[in-house]
Amino acid sequence: MSFALLRQQLAAAPLGGRGMLTASLVCFWAFHFIVLWTSSFSVPHPAGNLDLGHDLTWLVGVSCNALALLGCALGLGRSRAVRFSALALVAGLLTAAGVGLIAARVAWEGPGFDIAFLGGNALFGIGTGLMMASYADVLRRVSPQTTFMATAAAFTLGALLCLVVTVALVPPARWTAAAALAPAAALLYRRAARDAETPVEGDDRPAPATEDLPSSGLPLKSFLGLIAVVGLTAGVMRGMNHLDMAASAADQLFIGSVLVGGVLLLALSFLADRLKPTLLLQGAVVVISAAFMALALLTSESAPVAFVIHTVGFVFFVALVWLFCTFLGQGCADGTRRFIVGLFANQAGQALGSLGYLGLVAAVGSSASALLPASLGTVYVLLLAALAFFANAGRAKRSVAAANALAVEPAVLLSSLAEGHRLTAREVEIGVLVAEGRSRAAIAEALVVSQETVKSHTKHLYQKLSVHSRDELMRLLEEEARLWADRRSIL
């Protein structure tokens, strides 16, 4: 395998021969890293025993980012009502304006914070949120392999670009470069969006390996919960990083860690058509948990090592979030909104994690005192969220497998049970979709009804059949299928 293969597969994707989407993502992640993850746009601002100089930009920016994504998910996130190419251009201009305001405040060495600084952070956060929403509309229309490969390349090249800008340029040039990256990402996105609308003739790429995580069986609520909790770990780790280490050292550790994670992702991207996403997700959760356990069990000198471990794991997780959101967004009318909701969960988790850790430090009096409870508490919450997700994913997968293994179609079996149990036509219809492993949201979308209506019909179905869960329904259908087989053998 070589980089030529990656370039060839990207060229075969509906993104233009030059990989416009990847180039746009590189620019996006580069300025995201520069502004939010390095100290290029921070100024001292002590508050009690805290120094918010490195965290205020992050807190305001990520919070506004999450709010913009939430707004898109609630109102603007429907592809039929929004021109995402125009939205991306607006996002790029807002982001550039925000970076300009932040840079102007950083250049002024006077005391205190002013409205321009906070306004710049808010504009930057809103702009990046709108840009993420725009990416959701393109990525839901490409293969999961393409998303994974483009994200891996973007992390690697974006971190390298971030390194060049932050190390090789003096502050005025650094701020100018960061501001220019935002509209550059938007312009490249517009070309990628146009190319994504045109299918490629003769595209012989393998179909997505969705059997490991079928979109119809993905436990959406527990998935979003896990995304939010892992985002929370990033916010907590960032607080520990900037409170316990020098800013310059933290910048170098972060960029180096993203490079390591990006290179590993690139290596895995050559196997993108054979990857098992849930296995990679389990590995990312274990790595992130190991980072916090290292902080809890070792000395404070281990903080840089734990930060590197966590960042590598988090880079993997973010790539998988975008991969899974591609699964979620395919084959449904509200695919863009679903993708945006997944990104919102991650960004909201990061903001809450930072706020929670800063609040804990303020309450206990020092970062050293907060280290142990924050580390152990984060691991506990993360493992609970992971267990809930994988348990629900396992049940959904077993339901799909059981439905596929039935010798008789679930529709036929439920129809045969309808008369004896007084099932309505709608209950039979919903029962078939439940047996296929579909979530409540997917059933509501397929039948064009509300989720509450689906919940009510499912409850009545279970009561009439004397079952209490999808697993029990599948066992009942398996028993009915065996009775059908016995009747056929007698005849």
Side-chain angles (χ1 to χ4, degrees):
M1 295 292 183
S2 64
F3 188 76
L5 176 60
L6 174 62
R7 185 174 58 187
Q8 179 183 1
Q9 294 197 29
L10 284 174
L15 304 172
R18 293 175 292 175
M20 289 293 174
L21 176 62
T22 303
S24 177
L25 284 169
V26 169
C27 292
F28 174 80
W29 285 112
F31 74 71
H32 191 84
F33 295 156
I34 292 168
V35 179
L36 284 187
W37 282 96
T38 71
S39 57
S40 301
F41 291 85
S42 64
V43 291
H45 183 63
N49 62 319
L50 300 176
D51 181 3
L52 295 180
H54 301 303
D55 290 298
L56 191 60
T57 297
W58 165 270
L59 289 172
V60 176
V62 172
S63 298
C64 290
N65 181 290
L67 289 175
L69 286 167
L70 179 61
C72 288
L74 294 177
L76 301 177
R78 297 184 182 277
S79 58
R80 294 181 180 177
V82 178
R83 291 181 57 195
F84 282 95
S85 293
L87 184 65
L89 186 57
V90 172
L93 295 176
L94 285 176
T95 304
V99 170
L101 286 174
I102 299 171
R105 173 59 187 88
V106 174
W108 179 56
E109 298 180 355
F113 279 64
D114 52 22
I115 296 177
F117 184 83
L118 295 177
N121 282 287
L123 285 177
F124 173 83
I126 293 172
T128 52
L130 296 178
M131 195 69 202
M132 283 186 174
S134 300
Y135 284 125
D137 186 60
V138 171
L139 292 175
R140 74 175 181 84
R141 290 181 276 150
V142 303
S143 71
Q145 298 98 314
T146 298
T147 297
F148 190 81
M149 297 172 76
T151 305
F155 282 153
T156 306
L157 299 177
L160 284 173
L161 187 53
C162 175
L163 181 64
V164 170
V165 171
T166 55
V167 173
L169 302 180
V170 295
R174 184 186 310 163
W175 303 331
T176 303
L181 285 171
L187 292 174
L188 290 167
Y189 167 86
R190 289 166 66 86
R191 169 64 186 277
R194 288 195 299 268
D195 291 339
E197 294 174 355
T198 306
V200 176
E201 295 183 2
D203 184 4
D204 57 354
R205 290 172 297 152
T210 57
E211 65 274 6
D212 182 58
L213 190 67
S215 58
S216 62
L218 182 66
L220 185 58
K221 290 184 178 179
S222 58
F223 172 60
L224 294 177
L226 180 59
I227 292 177
V229 169
V230 174
L232 183 144
T233 71
V236 172
M237 183 61 73
R238 178 189 164 83
M240 294 176 175
N241 161 41
H242 276 250
L243 289 173
D244 295 337
M245 289 180 280
S248 59
D251 293 351
Q252 296 169 5
L253 283 172
F254 170 74
I255 296 173
S257 303
V258 174
L259 279 173
V260 171
V263 170
L264 292 174
L265 284 171
L266 275 175
L268 287 172
S269 68
F270 296 120
L271 307 173
D273 58 333
R274 297 188 295 275
L275 290 175
K276 288 189 174 296
T278 51
L279 183 61
L280 290 177
L281 182 58
Q282 291 171 8
V285 170
V286 169
V287 169
I288 294 171
S289 301
F292 282 97
M293 292 304 296
L295 281 171
L297 300 177
L298 303 178
T299 62
S300 59
E301 285 74 16
S302 66
V305 176
F307 176 70
V308 170
I309 295 173
H310 178 277
T311 303
V312 172
F314 186 68
V315 165
F316 265 78
F317 187 85
V318 171
L320 290 170
V321 166
W322 289 58
L323 174 69
F324 287 178
C325 286
T326 304
F327 279 118
L328 279 174
Q330 289 184 328
C332 58
D334 65 340
T336 300
R337 184 176 62 83
R338 291 188 179 195
F339 204 122
I340 292 172
V341 169
L343 300 182
F344 161 74
N346 185 258
Q347 298 303 106
Q350 293 185 46
L352 290 175
S354 293
L355 285 171
Y357 183 71
L358 289 174
L360 180 61
V361 172
V364 301
S366 69
S367 59
S369 301
L371 190 62
L372 182 62
S375 299
L376 296 179
T378 302
V379 171
Y380 180 74
V381 173
L382 175 61
L383 292 180
L384 282 181
L387 288 173
F389 169 74
F390 288 116
N392 289 332
R395 284 195 292 268
K397 188 175 180 180
R398 287 193 297 272
S399 294
V400 173
N404 293 336
L406 288 176
V408 184
E409 290 292 329
V412 176
L413 297 174
L414 283 166
S415 297
S416 69
L417 294 170
E419 183 176 353
H421 295 81
R422 297 183 178 180
L423 301 180
T424 66
R426 179 63 87 180
E427 288 167 354
V428 170
E429 190 175 18
I430 288 178
V432 171
L433 297 176
V434 170
E436 291 177 354
R438 301 201 188 190
S439 65
R440 185 185 300 168
I443 295 173
E445 180 185 357
L447 301 181
V448 196
V449 296
S450 69
Q451 293 191 37
E452 287 302 317
T453 299
V454 175
K455 180 180 179 180
S456 176
H457 283 304
T458 304
K459 180 181 178 180
H460 294 154
L461 172 70
Y462 285 176
Q463 288 176 343
K464 292 178 180 180
L465 295 178
S466 299
V467 299
H468 303 88
S469 66
R470 178 182 292 171
D471 289 343
E472 291 187 15
L473 174 63
M474 295 309 302
R475 286 194 289 271
L476 176 63
L477 294 181
E478 289 172 2
E479 180 63 29
E480 185 69 13
R482 281 193 289 271
L483 293 176
W484 273 68
D486 292 342
R487 296 189 196 109
R488 289 179 180 178
S489 63
I490 293 174
L491 295 176

